[in-house]
Amino acid sequence: MEQIQLISVRTEKSNRSENNVWVVSTPEFEDKFCRNALKALRYAFFLKRGTGRRITDEAFQSLIEAVKARKSQTQESANS
């Protein structure tokens, strides 16, 4: 049976600041640290196109929700 390789995404505490960063990883490539969810989503799609792997459903949903939340925060601050 063929094993499906996935692209995983998680958050970790940054070693340079008090913020959390997004970590995009695959078994073959080094972990990529992204400052925000949109950059992590873009990098995940870049890996998907290059390797043909799938992004895990949980990771995709969490990234989409984080992007939407950031977008709504930006719009609220612009309206204030």
Side-chain angles (χ1 to χ4, degrees):
M1 179 181 260
E2 183 179 326
Q3 183 180 10
I4 298 174
Q5 299 289 329
L6 299 174
I7 298 168
S8 63
V9 180
R10 65 184 187 280
T11 58
E12 283 186 6
K13 179 119 171 74
S14 174
N15 62 349
R16 295 184 180 183
S17 68
E18 296 298 317
N19 299 329
N20 286 335
V21 294
W22 293 88
V23 182
V24 181
S25 61
T26 62
E28 302 163 345
F29 295 101
E30 283 186 23
D31 291 350
K32 170 76 172 175
F33 298 93
C34 303
R35 290 184 183 178
N36 61 48
L38 184 58
K39 288 184 181 184
L41 185 61
R42 287 180 180 164
Y43 184 71
F45 274 109
F46 173 76
L47 282 177
K48 179 180 179 179
R49 184 179 55 212
T51 63
R53 294 178 178 202
R54 288 187 44 224
I55 303 170
T56 60
D57 294 334
E58 298 84 19
F60 183 74
Q61 287 301 322
S62 64
L63 285 170
I64 292 295
E65 289 173 11
V67 169
K68 285 181 182 179
R70 183 170 183 211
K71 185 175 180 180
S72 67
Q73 288 174 350
T74 305
Q75 288 178 348
E76 289 174 3
S77 64
N79 292 336
S80 297

